[in-house]
Amino acid sequence: MAPAFESEARKYAREIGASNLSIQPLPESQIGRLSPGELKKAGKEATQLAIVGLTRERVFKGETGLPETFSFKGKDYDEALEEMEKYFLREGMSDGFPLKPPTKPAVAKMLEGTDLSPRHLVGVVGNGKGLATVEKIAINAVMAGCLPQYMPVIVAAVEAITDSRYDLHRVQSTTGPAAPLLIVSGPRLISDLNINDGFATLGPGWRANSTIGRAIRLILINIGYGWPGKTDMKSLGPFAKFTTLMAENEEEYKGTWEPLRVVEGFRKDEATVSVMTVNSLKSISGSSVETYVKEIARAMRGAYNAEARTWGEENLVLLNPAAFDVFREAKLSRAELQRKLHQAGRVPCSQFAQYKGAPIPLKDLPKIAQIPEEIVFKCRESMENSVAVVPRPEDLKIIVAGGRTGGSAYFLDTWGFGKSFFTTKEIKLPPHWDQLLERYKGWNTPVMK
Amino acid sequence: MRVKRNKKETGFLLRSFLFVAVFAAYGGVMMNAHAGSQVTLTVMNPRADLRGPTPIPLAPRLRVLEGKRIGLINNTKENATLLQPDLEKALRQMLPSAKLKSWSISYRPFENKDRALAELAKKSDGIILLFGD
């Protein structure tokens, strides 16, 4: 492995209880660019390192306990806060934006947003496998600038990202541009929290959208121990890593399609948060069912990447209200649109089975890319046969969001090496919800639809 | 010099001190009276404890490699595949009496992966795992 991966490998070894495993990075990380002579030299170096690993014991120091609090001094409050910010930046405990100090009173106030015990374990956050207790979640939520009433959404989002279906460990550690996108479904909660489900639902300007997404990033940093170049190996890092929380614009269905939470198996009177790993976003415009289907299918084919093994997962289509009107007026159900896209979003076997521009032997497809035997069989019949780039029509999630402009849709593809699946959790509100909203009101931005 | 205060002054100072102490404690900020306007900001640690793993005892290190069965596992990433032939050559030169056996095991999860790896471990005295990351 390259030296950059050493700390990630050591961390993983420690997590599985093998701290003294011998891990030897090779100084040369660009093996593919070496000349035959250099490759031979690298082979010798690797052999010497391997011999050391097989024959010499390694001893590591044990873990030290974490302090419960940190104290910072200054001639006034601002200076003490600056000292805190500098320390958090130095120690990799910040996302780079100014932080609200997580004092005990501020954390106690944040905990008013939940009826769960502060010691309740919500999940284990990869890739560092930190314990996400309600208290630790609240500390990071304070730092992000959240209001106490956001806690139920944050707790449900942590449940979702720590669900094994989501495969956070690989999402955190991959070199690809993967980041979680949070989608809230449930109009009453969306209104209660003033989550923007209208114009620029994916953008800044609303306290809930900005700070809940930010809290999740801080949780990934501080509880999940995901840090760029150490355990989070995204070489470029996507902008979606800053904060991404959006909401479904349910009223625009006008009763024709079920909302996302119902499709995902929840009741209509519940509220949910779904999490999906987003790799990239493609903007699409259209004017008819046919043009939308054609353009979305083109985006699906473009996003399919045999090298990144993106087959077998779930992708997302966001329709703005005007784009959805096209399908509503054509009386097309969600399932019918999914079937049309599943049919149109296909690539020939010759393209499906490629790796770095060269064909993958069909026998290796199941092993390399976890492709089922029936697809291998189909490609074996003829390389001109086509394969749908999502396994089943329902693997293409479709929802309405955003404001009413000309017709516009986004296609968001997911990350391939996981597999990381779309994961939805119920947002459970505490019994004192209405009092909580009343106590912490006044933080609203008008939502434009 | 000792300063004498009357009851009214003392009561006022006591109330003021209590007010400052209660106000400062509520805000998580303690004023240090001896250092003038020195302020201490105490915050909670956002870092989480790690899930405590059950330590896995490693196989004892080998005293000598001569004559041993050395398994070489390639995790199927490109860099590992590229390096493997030269690594094998160098191993054969440096350890001519070792019995070298190579396998390719995808880094991706697959059914019965743990069992497959356990089988390879049984067939080897020592294993070198090539990570092509």
Side-chain angles (χ1 to χ4, degrees), chain A residues 150-165:
Chain A
Y150 301 166
M151 273 298 280
V153 183
I154 304 168
V155 167
V158 172
E159 283 177 4
I161 60 171
T162 56
D163 188 305
S164 59
R165 275 178 54 77

Side-chain angles (χ1 to χ4, degrees), chain A residues 129-156:
Chain A
K129 295 194 179 166
L131 303 178
T133 59
V134 169
E135 184 178 67
K136 289 292 179 186
I137 291 170
I139 294 169
N140 284 279
V142 169
M143 287 162 62
C146 290
L147 301 177
Q149 58 265 42
Y150 301 166
M151 273 298 280
V153 183
I154 304 168
V155 167

Side-chain angles (χ1 to χ4, degrees), chain A residues 310-326:
Chain A
T310 55
W311 192 88
E313 293 161 340
E314 296 139 328
N315 295 320
L316 176 68
V317 176
L318 301 178
L319 301 174
N320 82 347
F324 177 67
D325 284 346
V326 170

Side-chain angles (χ1 to χ4, degrees), chain A residues 32-159:
Chain A
R33 302 182 68 172
L34 298 183
S35 67
E38 290 167 329
L39 203 55
K40 191 174 172 185
K41 189 172 165 233
K44 277 190 180 164
E45 281 173 4
T47 303
Q48 280 158 350
L49 292 171
I51 289 171
V52 169
L54 288 167
T55 55
R56 201 173 296 168
E57 297 284 352
R58 285 186 68 94
V59 180
F60 283 91
K61 287 178 188 168
E63 295 283 328
T64 53
L66 295 170
E68 190 196 352
T69 58
F70 301 109
S71 290
F72 303 93
K73 291 186 190 310
K75 68 177 175 1
D76 55 23
Y77 175 80
D78 286 344
E79 195 176 278
L81 180 59
E82 281 179 10
E83 290 306 310
M84 182 204 90
E85 297 249 32
K86 288 176 193 169
Y87 179 81
F88 277 38
L89 285 166
R90 207 162 50 238
E91 294 297 315
M93 291 153 65
S94 168
D95 58 359
F97 286 120
L99 297 165
K100 188 171 173 186
T103 60
K104 280 191 176 174
V107 174
K109 196 190 273 190
M110 187 60 63
L111 288 167
E112 289 176 30
T114 177
D115 55 349
L116 296 169
S117 153
R119 297 285 164 207
H120 172 72
L121 180 65
V122 177
V124 180
V125 184
N127 48 3
K129 295 194 179 166
L131 303 178
T133 59
V134 169
E135 184 178 67
K136 289 292 179 186
I137 291 170
I139 294 169
N140 284 279
V142 169
M143 287 162 62
C146 290
L147 301 177
Q149 58 265 42
Y150 301 166
M151 273 298 280
V153 183
I154 304 168
V155 167
V158 172
E159 283 177 4

